[in-house]
Amino acid sequence: MIHYHGTPLTPRSELLKLSGKNFCVSFANPQDADWCLANGQSVLWDNGAFSLHTKGREVDWLAYYRWLEPRLGHPHWAVIPDVIDGTECEQRALLESWPFSSQLGAPVWHLGLSIDYLLEIADTWPRFCFGSTKQYWQVGSETWERRCDEAFNALAKRHPKMPWVHILRGLALCGDRWPFASADSVNVARNHATAKVCPERMARRIDAVQCPISWTVKHTQKEMLL
């Protein structure tokens, strides 16, 4: 599992300690972008939709594309524009407007959307993200867990080898049962100062915990009774 540590992280002297790590830089808070590109192992460029949605603002997608243009290339990749709590038609329209290679982008499957749409994405894109919606806003809640189980059941039945699934805001799930290939969070950036812990030490502990690479289909009680 690849662990992407979110930014911004202040002061800059503390960010320097994370040189060589994998970073997540949001379009909504891009101040560390060029430093992470120059000093990070790889960078996940987040589209900022979640952050701006919580503030009641919309993302200028053309500006996002212009921002990505000089920063996008292997091994770096970006979250493709998405609509929080949007319809599948709205998500598809944004996927169709993605101006870069599919190898450099990952669509978001929001847990409130259909399993059929999840499988459509998995059949089409080399990697994709799990994202929250109103019904599944709290990552790791009981409702969220049941939906995540359902999603991985469907993926495992379709793909003998699990596709690359990234979990947005999900580093706390490292070591849990779901086979995520990568995850991000701002845990280190937000909490190292309060916890009075070296950010590199925090990141090293997180990076040492991994997810499984496979999934065994879990049958519901109803299915077992049939």
Side-chain angles (χ1 to χ4, degrees):
M1 182 183 192
I2 297 179
H3 306 71
Y4 292 95
H5 299 285
T7 60
L9 193 155
T10 56
R12 178 55 62 91
S13 60
E14 295 300 289
L15 178 60
L16 293 175
K17 297 175 182 179
L18 295 184
S19 294
K21 295 291 187 183
N22 298 290
F23 294 102
C24 176
V25 178
S26 173
F27 181 55
N29 293 285
Q31 50 265 51
D32 290 334
D34 292 332
W35 185 92
C36 290
L37 188 62
N39 297 279
Q41 186 173 154
S42 67
V43 182
L44 159 58
W45 306 111
D46 181 62
N47 64 34
F50 178 84
S51 298
L52 294 174
H53 176 77
T54 61
K55 299 175 183 177
R57 296 166 55 192
E58 294 185 357
V59 186
D60 180 344
W61 295 127
L62 290 179
Y64 177 56
Y65 297 149
R66 289 194 296 270
W67 180 73
L68 284 178
E69 176 62 42
R71 299 178 173 89
L72 195 57
H74 295 305
H76 319 295
W77 57 279
V79 178
I80 294 175
D82 64 307
V83 181
I84 308 297
D85 289 322
T87 66
E88 292 174 10
C89 288
E90 289 175 312
Q91 315 297 350
R92 286 192 186 95
L94 288 172
L95 295 186
E96 290 173 1
S97 68
W98 177 245
F100 307 106
S101 166
S102 62
Q103 298 292 326
L104 297 174
V108 179
W109 177 70
H110 296 276
L111 272 67
L113 299 177
S114 71
I115 294 295
D116 284 343
Y117 183 59
L118 167 64
L119 296 177
E120 176 186 323
I121 289 175
D123 289 344
T124 309
W125 294 84
R127 66 165 65 86
F128 52 92
C129 309
F130 278 16
S132 299
T133 52
K134 188 178 299 182
Q135 185 180 356
Y136 306 101
W137 196 255
Q138 184 60 49
V139 175
S141 67
E142 184 177 347
T143 302
W144 186 95
E145 288 187 355
R146 287 198 300 269
R147 183 58 168 170
C148 207
D149 286 349
E150 184 181 2
F152 275 110
N153 279 346
L155 289 171
K157 292 175 182 177
R158 184 80 148 244
H159 298 273
K161 292 294 185 181
M162 190 58 57
W164 186 302
V165 184
H166 177 88
I167 176 64
L168 296 167
R169 303 186 297 125
L171 278 180
L173 297 171
C174 294
D176 218 315
R177 64 182 182 268
W178 300 284
F180 292 113
S182 58
D184 70 90
S185 85
V186 291
N187 179 22
V188 174
R190 286 185 177 175
N191 298 318
H192 75 92
T194 302
K196 297 181 180 179
V197 177
C198 170
E200 192 280 331
R201 184 180 181 186
M202 286 184 68
R204 183 163 19 103
R205 287 178 174 176
I206 294 170
D207 291 350
V209 182
Q210 298 297 321
C211 287
I213 63 171
S214 60
W215 178 261
T216 300
V217 174
K218 303 179 185 302
H219 295 287
T220 65
Q221 185 175 11
K222 180 179 179 180
E223 289 173 329
M224 290 187 290
L225 291 174
L226 295 177

